[in-house]
Amino acid sequence: METAIVRHSGPRAFLERAEPWLLRREAENNLVLGLAASLAEGASGYSSPLYFATVERAGRVAGCAFRTPPYKLGLTRMPLGAVPLLAHDVAEVYDHLPAALGPVDAVRAFGEAWAALRGVTVGPGPRQRIHSLEQVTFPSPLAPGTVRPARPEDIPLVVPWLKAFAAATGHLETDAAALALRLTGTGRDGRLALWKDGVPVSMAGFPARTRHGVRIGYVYTPEKHRRKGYASALVATLSRQVLDSGFGHCVLYTDLANPTSNRIYRAIGYRPVQDVMDVEFG
């Protein structure tokens, strides 16, 4: 069966070709759907060149790859036999990659192909699990406090929390202050919430959305406020707000090395969709 890598001129052209295929597993493909849609609407802040490609077999989409420099390459599920061809196509665009993220089998195969192609080392990075929720189960008892949107005046608080979140999760965020400004903006850009129990004690956001779902992210509670149920209460409340606003599901990622967070989100109603991992290049 003939396999081809089709590189697209930008996120809009990519979505025109790939979106129907991606929506078949919308929760699983939330990252690329949300990213491409945001870019198609005019979001910026990434270096050039962007990379959006489809893996095609017999003229049909069978997988996708994407990158917004300086960040890692992203992969969806795809036929493993197409991975070496994809690695060669990516190599025509980039001399080096910091890492790649995707379903375990696909990203391991890509890591091996890229390492052989570029003569670099490759090693396993963080492993995560994508979860999806369609109905919320609130913790009982619910932690004391209330939720409120994060505002621009919260930036001095939010910036160190975002830095601590990035350090704990291995996320690459080059400018926490700029991210805080975006997340605490007004209107559609206001995508961060705080749980307040006298003072703000936890944060969580909804940084991206797809046609029928919203991704919950940036969940962080400072050490001195942990083990009190604040994050559970905040994520449950935000998830209910998302569903009440008309979306069909919420998505979030958990670190498989952190059994506590996996247990907490499972109790709220999140169910596993797919395991993904990073491979990191030396």
Side-chain angles (χ1 to χ4, degrees):
M1 186 177 297
E2 183 179 356
T3 302
I5 309 300
V6 180
R7 208 183 305 163
H8 299 277
S9 59
R12 192 178 301 277
F14 168 76
L15 285 175
E16 288 176 359
R17 177 59 177 161
E19 188 175 40
W21 183 85
L22 292 167
L23 286 173
R24 295 177 194 170
R25 295 184 174 91
E26 186 173 350
E28 176 182 315
N29 295 317
N30 72 91
L31 186 60
V32 62
L33 280 166
L35 179 63
S38 177
L39 287 166
E41 292 171 5
S44 60
Y46 304 106
S47 303
S48 296
L50 303 180
Y51 182 85
F52 287 94
T54 47
V55 178
E56 311 217 357
R57 303 192 83 177
R60 296 183 178 183
V61 176
C64 298
F66 56 99
R67 187 184 181 214
T68 51
Y71 302 108
K72 66 190 78 172
L73 182 77
L75 307 176
T76 68
R77 67 170 67 212
M78 64 182 62
L80 296 185
V83 170
L85 191 62
L86 174 64
H88 278 84
D89 191 73
V90 173
E92 292 181 5
V93 181
Y94 303 113
D95 292 330
H96 65 274
L97 297 171
L101 166 69
V104 174
D105 289 346
V107 80
R108 280 178 171 165
F110 182 88
E112 293 173 0
W114 185 260
L117 195 62
R118 286 299 193 207
V120 297
T121 60
V122 59
R127 291 192 62 160
Q128 300 176 80
R129 180 164 290 160
I130 304 173
H131 293 74
S132 179
L133 170 146
E134 297 178 358
Q135 184 173 344
V136 179
T137 301
F138 275 89
S140 182
L142 190 69
T146 56
V147 65
R148 72 162 175 83
R151 300 183 285 261
E153 55 265 34
D154 295 310
I155 287 177
L157 173 75
V158 167
V159 167
W161 285 13
L162 287 171
K163 290 180 178 178
F165 169 82
T169 58
H171 283 220
L172 174 62
E173 180 51 55
T174 56
D175 192 338
L179 176 61
L181 188 62
R182 293 199 303 270
L183 292 173
T184 59
T186 57
R188 193 178 186 279
D189 290 334
R191 298 182 180 184
L192 192 73
L194 301 175
W195 190 262
K196 183 179 179 183
D197 184 12
V199 296
V201 292
S202 188
M203 74 173 182
F206 29 100
R209 63 191 68 183
T210 60
R211 183 174 296 184
H212 305 106
V214 170
R215 174 161 55 88
I216 304 292
Y218 302 115
V219 182
Y220 179 76
T221 304
E223 178 65 36
K224 65 181 179 180
H225 297 307
R226 292 177 188 172
R227 293 169 289 279
K228 298 177 182 178
Y230 293 136
S232 295
L234 177 54
V235 172
T237 301
L238 283 183
S239 300
R240 172 62 65 82
Q241 290 178 356
V242 166
L243 298 180
D244 287 348
S245 70
F247 288 94
H249 64 269
C250 299
V251 176
L252 59 74
Y253 288 70
T254 62
D255 181 356
L256 286 177
N258 186 341
T260 300
S261 66
N262 284 272
R263 174 179 54 79
I264 287 172
Y265 297 134
R266 187 164 56 248
I268 294 171
Y270 281 89
R271 298 294 178 260
V273 172
Q274 183 189 57
D275 286 3
V276 296
M277 69 176 290
D278 284 22
V279 292
E280 299 172 342
F281 301 113

